[in-house]
């Protein structure tokens, strides 16, 4: 097994954050605000947020590297063998909430987790992925998103994309609503297959392909005309995004339970959102089409 090298991963993650911020800011014409922060329990991070841009209503691209002597309950609940180990976790996590309702929200993250104790081999794994949350669906956009994801996984085995695609479908699902958050993509966790070098290469392939997956969709839809109806539906559907992040998302729960920086953890939430009691789309409408044609799990390629 190749040696675990957190420093190489940290170098890659900082560069990835730079590249993604530069590309998104270039599309918007605005600039990211940066906050460097320290975590009292150990570690810190670099939060970058772009708000009220011409294209991006709110976007955040975070780097964090935190460590400590013990793990929070969210980490040890399913892995009791990790109890009593020191840990370090590092990653880049991003959410882009565009202004135009015809441009999907996108989310991505890549991360490394290492747990250690004297006299024992370290327990480590990579995780991450990316997923797409449209408000008005376009078949060709979703196919492009999934094809890019499949191409990123291809060097690591033909079974990787379908496995990670299903994992994403299963994970980004609101059980209390009985519906998917979006149209999926990739999700993986506890990944250490083939040793450190191979697993790190897999994580890099996912991180490096995010812009290839998202920017063509952003450019194609950013200038589409829309009105109050489309904006209202976008804000209503953003409510599902908030519900998932606060109820189910592992990263949010880990961050809050481990004493992470609340502002950085919750930067994934949109600036504006609305809930409406017992709302249903009009039959035959473009809004209903999201529910009937895009949110149900399916094979896109």
């Amino acid at each position: 097994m190749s040696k675990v090298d957190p420093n190489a991963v940290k170098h890659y993650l900082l560069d990835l954050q730079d590249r993604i911020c530069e590309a998104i800011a270039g599309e918007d014409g605005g600039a990211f605000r940066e906050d460097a922060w320290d975590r009292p329990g150990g570690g810190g991070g670099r939060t970058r947020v772009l708000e009220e841009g011409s294209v991006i209503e709110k976007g955040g691209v975070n780097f964090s590297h935190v460590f400590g002597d013990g793990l929070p309950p969210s980490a040890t609940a399913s892995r009791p063998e990790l109890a009593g180990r020191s840990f370090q976790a590092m990653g880049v996590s991003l959410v882009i909430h565009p202004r135009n309702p015809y441009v999907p929200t996108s989310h991505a993250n890549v991360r490394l987790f290492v747990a250690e104790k004297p006299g024992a081999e370290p327990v480590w794994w990579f995780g991450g992925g990316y997923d797409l949350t449209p408000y008005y669906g376009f078949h060709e956009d979703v196919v492009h998103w999934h094809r890019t994801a499949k191409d990123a996984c291809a060097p690591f085995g033909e079974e990787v994309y379908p496995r990670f695609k299903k994992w994403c479908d299963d994970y980004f699902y609101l059980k209390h609503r009985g519906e998917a958050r979006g149209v999926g993509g990739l999700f993986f966790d506890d990944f250490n297959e083939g040793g450190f070098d191979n697993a790190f290469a897999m994580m890099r392939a996912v991180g490096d392909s995010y812009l290839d997956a998202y920017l063509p969709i952003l450019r194609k839809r950013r200038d589409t005309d829309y009105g109050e109806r489309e904006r209202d539906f976008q804000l209503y559907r953003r409510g599902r995004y908030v519900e998932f992040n606060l109820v189910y998302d592992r990263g949010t729960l880990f961050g809050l339970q481990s004493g992470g920086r609340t502002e950085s953890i919750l930067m994934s939430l949109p600036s504006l959102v609305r809930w409406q009691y017992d709302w249903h789309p009009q039959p035959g409408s473009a809004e209903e089409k999201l529910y009937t044609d895009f949110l149900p799990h399916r094979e896109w390629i």
Side-chain angles (χ1 to χ4, degrees), residues 261-279:
R261 183 172 185 259
T262 302
E263 285 298 309
S264 297
I265 296 164
L266 298 183
M267 71 86 203
S268 62
L269 303 182
S271 300
L272 298 174
V273 63
R274 64 188 289 264
W275 280 267
Q276 184 172 337
Y277 179 74
D278 200 28
W279 181 86

Side-chain angles (χ1 to χ4, degrees), residues 171-212:
Y171 180 72
F172 291 104
Y173 188 80
L174 289 88
K175 302 177 183 67
H176 63 285
R177 295 283 189 182
E179 68 185 40
R181 186 172 84 171
V183 296
L186 301 173
F187 181 85
F188 64 100
D189 207 359
D190 302 325
F191 187 81
N192 55 17
E193 296 170 16
F196 181 83
D197 289 345
N198 182 73
F200 183 22
M202 172 67 223
M203 186 267 266
R204 293 198 306 271
V206 172
D208 292 343
S209 64
Y210 165 74
L211 289 173
D212 293 335

Side-chain angles (χ1 to χ4, degrees), residues 48-94:
R48 291 177 178 170
V49 177
L50 191 162
E51 292 184 289
E52 298 303 323
S54 61
V55 177
I56 308 303
E57 186 168 7
K58 184 181 180 184
V61 185
N62 286 352
F63 165 80
S64 64
H65 180 198
V66 301
F67 45 86
D69 294 330
L71 288 155
S74 63
T76 58
S78 60
R79 299 286 295 266
E81 73 275 15
L82 299 180
R85 287 178 175 256
S86 63
F87 77 94
Q88 60 174 314
M90 65 181 73
V92 165
S93 179
L94 69 93

